[in-house]
């Protein structure tokens, strides 16, 4: 599993937070304009308001789809980069292997008669 350091994770999270803020501001403003036009007494402006509001919703939806694509693409890129790093030579058994060895090779586990 690829470990991402804290600084890189926070930087990426801040980038995505900025993306969401801009996305919802732009989409929300367009939707608000559509709502204001929709609530007028003119049939023409009501229809235009409905279209503008729908466009605002589509802007947000497209932005969310783009966000999903970016997350997957960045994860794949990170995986490819980590698979191309040279594998460090093992200097001995891992800590978990050492624990398993201690448990399975414990001399105290031999058949010992019960105390009387």
């Amino acid at each position: 599993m690829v470990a991402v350091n804290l600084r890189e994770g926070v930087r990426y999270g801040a980038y995505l937070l900025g993306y969401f803020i801009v996305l919802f501001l732009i989409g929300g403003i367009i939707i608000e304009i559509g709502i204001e036009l929709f609530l007028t007494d003119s049939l023409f402006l009501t229809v235009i308001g409905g279209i503008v509001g729908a466009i605002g919703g589509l802007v947000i939806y497209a932005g969310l789809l783009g966000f999903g694509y970016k997350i997957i693409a960045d994860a794949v890129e990170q995986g490819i980069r980590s698979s191309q790093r040279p594998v460090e030579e093992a200097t001995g058994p891992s800590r978990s292997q050492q624990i398993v060895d201690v448990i399975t090779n414990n001399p105290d586990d031999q058949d010992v008669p019960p105390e009387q």
Side-chain angles (χ1 to χ4, degrees):
M1 182 167 184
V2 177
V4 177
N5 64 29
L6 182 61
R7 180 176 290 159
E8 184 181 343
V10 170
R11 187 177 318 126
Y12 190 72
Y15 169 77
L16 292 179
L17 179 63
Y19 174 82
F20 273 121
I21 289 171
V22 170
L23 173 67
F24 283 106
L25 275 176
I26 291 172
I29 289 171
I30 295 172
I31 289 172
E32 180 60 31
I33 291 170
I35 289 172
E36 293 298 323
L37 290 173
F38 187 80
L39 297 177
T40 60
D41 292 333
S42 169
L43 178 63
F44 177 73
L45 289 178
T46 299
V47 171
I48 296 297
I51 293 170
V52 170
I55 290 171
L58 289 174
V59 166
I60 292 176
Y61 183 64
L64 291 175
L65 290 176
F67 168 76
Y69 178 77
K70 175 154 181 53
I71 291 291
I72 293 170
D74 288 350
V76 169
E77 178 187 6
Q78 183 70 21
I80 289 171
R81 261 194 271 136
S82 69
S83 70
Q84 293 172 347
R85 291 184 200 145
V87 178
E88 297 176 6
E89 293 293 322
T91 57
S94 66
R95 180 71 179 140
S96 60
Q97 185 60 46
Q98 290 172 355
I99 292 171
V100 168
D101 289 343
V102 167
I103 292 171
T104 58
N105 297 326
N106 191 347
D108 295 337
D109 289 342
Q110 302 302 325
D111 292 333
V112 178
E115 293 181 22
Q116 302 210 5

